[in-house]
PDB file of all heavy atoms in Angstrom:
ATOM      1  N   THR S  13     117.019  79.703  71.614  1.00  0.00           N
ATOM      2  CA  THR S  13     116.417  80.966  71.913  1.00  0.00           C
ATOM      3  C   THR S  13     117.576  81.984  72.020  1.00  0.00           C
ATOM      4  O   THR S  13     118.716  81.660  72.398  1.00  0.00           O
ATOM      5  CB  THR S  13     115.609  80.977  73.166  1.00  0.00           C
ATOM      6  OG1 THR S  13     116.484  80.599  74.287  1.00  0.00           O
ATOM      7  CG2 THR S  13     114.411  80.027  73.159  1.00  0.00           C
ATOM      8  N   THR S  14     117.255  83.275  71.708  1.00  0.00           N
ATOM      9  CA  THR S  14     118.290  84.306  71.719  1.00  0.00           C
ATOM     10  C   THR S  14     118.286  85.012  73.108  1.00  0.00           C
ATOM     11  O   THR S  14     119.236  85.724  73.369  1.00  0.00           O
ATOM     12  CB  THR S  14     118.076  85.331  70.636  1.00  0.00           C
ATOM     13  OG1 THR S  14     116.707  85.849  70.738  1.00  0.00           O
ATOM     14  CG2 THR S  14     118.260  84.741  69.266  1.00  0.00           C
ATOM     15  N   SER S  15     117.241  84.790  73.885  1.00  0.00           N
ATOM     16  CA  SER S  15     117.223  85.476  75.179  1.00  0.00           C
ATOM     17  C   SER S  15     117.846  84.530  76.216  1.00  0.00           C
ATOM     18  O   SER S  15     117.718  83.336  76.157  1.00  0.00           O
ATOM     19  CB  SER S  15     115.816  85.863  75.609  1.00  0.00           C
ATOM     20  OG  SER S  15     115.054  84.644  75.733  1.00  0.00           O
ATOM     21  N   SER S  16     118.559  85.158  77.121  1.00  0.00           N
ATOM     22  CA  SER S  16     119.138  84.384  78.184  1.00  0.00           C
ATOM     23  C   SER S  16     118.429  84.626  79.452  1.00  0.00           C
ATOM     24  O   SER S  16     117.805  85.681  79.672  1.00  0.00           O
ATOM     25  CB  SER S  16     120.597  84.765  78.347  1.00  0.00           C
ATOM     26  OG  SER S  16     120.736  86.107  78.786  1.00  0.00           O
ATOM     27  N   PRO S  17     118.416  83.631  80.429  1.00  0.00           N
ATOM     28  CA  PRO S  17     117.715  83.915  81.640  1.00  0.00           C
ATOM     29  C   PRO S  17     118.321  84.967  82.450  1.00  0.00           C
ATOM     30  O   PRO S  17     117.659  85.626  83.267  1.00  0.00           O
ATOM     31  CB  PRO S  17     117.861  82.543  82.437  1.00  0.00           C
ATOM     32  CG  PRO S  17     118.768  81.746  81.637  1.00  0.00           C
ATOM     33  CD  PRO S  17     118.980  82.355  80.293  1.00  0.00           C
ATOM     34  N   ALA S  18     119.541  85.376  82.230  1.00  0.00           N
ATOM     35  CA  ALA S  18     120.194  86.461  82.911  1.00  0.00           C
ATOM     36  C   ALA S  18     119.902  87.823  82.307  1.00  0.00           C
ATOM     37  O   ALA S  18     120.438  88.794  82.753  1.00  0.00           O
ATOM     38  CB  ALA S  18     121.713  86.236  83.039  1.00  0.00           C
ATOM     39  N   HIS S  19     119.090  87.878  81.214  1.00  0.00           N
ATOM     40  CA  HIS S  19     118.852  89.136  80.541  1.00  0.00           C
ATOM     41  C   HIS S  19     118.153  90.093  81.482  1.00  0.00           C
ATOM     42  O   HIS S  19     117.222  89.793  82.209  1.00  0.00           O
ATOM     43  CB  HIS S  19     117.909  88.867  79.332  1.00  0.00           C
ATOM     44  CG  HIS S  19     117.575  90.158  78.628  1.00  0.00           C
ATOM     45  ND1 HIS S  19     118.466  90.913  77.955  1.00  0.00           N
ATOM     46  CD2 HIS S  19     116.384  90.815  78.500  1.00  0.00           C
ATOM     47  CE1 HIS S  19     117.887  91.957  77.430  1.00  0.00           C
ATOM     48  NE2 HIS S  19     116.651  91.897  77.730  1.00  0.00           N
ATOM     49  N   ASP S  20     118.676  91.294  81.517  1.00  0.00           N
ATOM     50  CA  ASP S  20     118.169  92.337  82.409  1.00  0.00           C
ATOM     51  C   ASP S  20     117.161  93.199  81.649  1.00  0.00           C
ATOM     52  O   ASP S  20     117.553  93.871  80.686  1.00  0.00           O
ATOM     53  CB  ASP S  20     119.284  93.164  82.934  1.00  0.00           C
ATOM     54  CG  ASP S  20     118.906  94.216  83.967  1.00  0.00           C
ATOM     55  OD1 ASP S  20     117.715  94.187  84.402  1.00  0.00           O
ATOM     56  OD2 ASP S  20     119.735  95.003  84.356  1.00  0.00           O
ATOM     57  N   ASP S  21     115.874  93.235  82.081  1.00  0.00           N
ATOM     58  CA  ASP S  21     114.918  94.058  81.360  1.00  0.00           C
ATOM     59  C   ASP S  21     115.144  95.519  81.534  1.00  0.00           C
ATOM     60  O   ASP S  21     114.555  96.380  80.799  1.00  0.00           O
ATOM     61  CB  ASP S  21     113.503  93.718  81.864  1.00  0.00           C
ATOM     62  CG  ASP S  21     113.101  92.249  81.444  1.00  0.00           C
ATOM     63  OD1 ASP S  21     113.542  91.824  80.416  1.00  0.00           O
ATOM     64  OD2 ASP S  21     112.273  91.692  82.198  1.00  0.00           O
ATOM     65  N   ASP S  22     115.983  95.958  82.406  1.00  0.00           N
ATOM     66  CA  ASP S  22     116.294  97.366  82.641  1.00  0.00           C
ATOM     67  C   ASP S  22     117.356  97.895  81.712  1.00  0.00           C
ATOM     68  O   ASP S  22     117.622  99.075  81.640  1.00  0.00           O
ATOM     69  CB  ASP S  22     116.724  97.637  84.064  1.00  0.00           C
ATOM     70  CG  ASP S  22     115.597  97.358  85.038  1.00  0.00           C
ATOM     71  OD1 ASP S  22     114.456  97.484  84.678  1.00  0.00           O
ATOM     72  OD2 ASP S  22     115.902  97.093  86.236  1.00  0.00           O
ATOM     73  N   GLU S  23     117.948  97.008  80.897  1.00  0.00           N
ATOM     74  CA  GLU S  23     119.015  97.513  80.036  1.00  0.00           C
ATOM     75  C   GLU S  23     118.379  98.361  78.909  1.00  0.00           C
ATOM     76  O   GLU S  23     117.295  98.132  78.391  1.00  0.00           O
ATOM     77  CB  GLU S  23     119.683  96.273  79.377  1.00  0.00           C
ATOM     78  CG  GLU S  23     120.611  95.489  80.259  1.00  0.00           C
ATOM     79  CD  GLU S  23     121.321  94.405  79.570  1.00  0.00           C
ATOM     80  OE1 GLU S  23     121.482  94.453  78.313  1.00  0.00           O
ATOM     81  OE2 GLU S  23     121.677  93.454  80.275  1.00  0.00           O
ATOM     82  N   ASP S  24     119.149  99.361  78.507  1.00  0.00           N
ATOM     83  CA  ASP S  24     118.770 100.254  77.433  1.00  0.00           C
ATOM     84  C   ASP S  24     119.050  99.543  76.088  1.00  0.00           C
ATOM     85  O   ASP S  24     119.920  98.745  75.999  1.00  0.00           O
ATOM     86  CB  ASP S  24     119.649 101.534  77.432  1.00  0.00           C
ATOM     87  CG  ASP S  24     119.258 102.352  78.674  1.00  0.00           C
ATOM     88  OD1 ASP S  24     118.162 102.326  79.096  1.00  0.00           O
ATOM     89  OD2 ASP S  24     120.225 103.065  79.134  1.00  0.00           O
ATOM     90  N   PRO S  25     118.163  99.798  75.063  1.00  0.00           N
ATOM     91  CA  PRO S  25     118.457  99.186  73.795  1.00  0.00           C
ATOM     92  C   PRO S  25     119.773  99.716  73.282  1.00  0.00           C
ATOM     93  O   PRO S  25     120.166 100.865  73.511  1.00  0.00           O
ATOM     94  CB  PRO S  25     117.242  99.620  72.908  1.00  0.00           C
ATOM     95  CG  PRO S  25     116.666 100.770  73.642  1.00  0.00           C
ATOM     96  CD  PRO S  25     117.000 100.620  75.118  1.00  0.00           C
ATOM     97  N   ILE S  26     120.496  98.923  72.519  1.00  0.00           N
ATOM     98  CA  ILE S  26     121.732  99.352  72.016  1.00  0.00           C
ATOM     99  C   ILE S  26     121.552 100.136  70.721  1.00  0.00           C
ATOM    100  O   ILE S  26     120.903  99.783  69.842  1.00  0.00           O
ATOM    101  CB  ILE S  26     122.646  98.139  71.713  1.00  0.00           C
ATOM    102  CG1 ILE S  26     122.947  97.378  72.976  1.00  0.00           C
ATOM    103  CG2 ILE S  26     123.899  98.493  70.946  1.00  0.00           C
ATOM    104  CD1 ILE S  26     123.634  96.045  72.789  1.00  0.00           C
TER     105      ILE S  26
END
Side-chain angles (χ1 to χ4, degrees):
T13 60
T14 56
S15 62
S16 66
H19 179 67
D20 185 9
D21 290 332
D22 293 334
E23 286 183 24
D24 293 328
I26 295 175

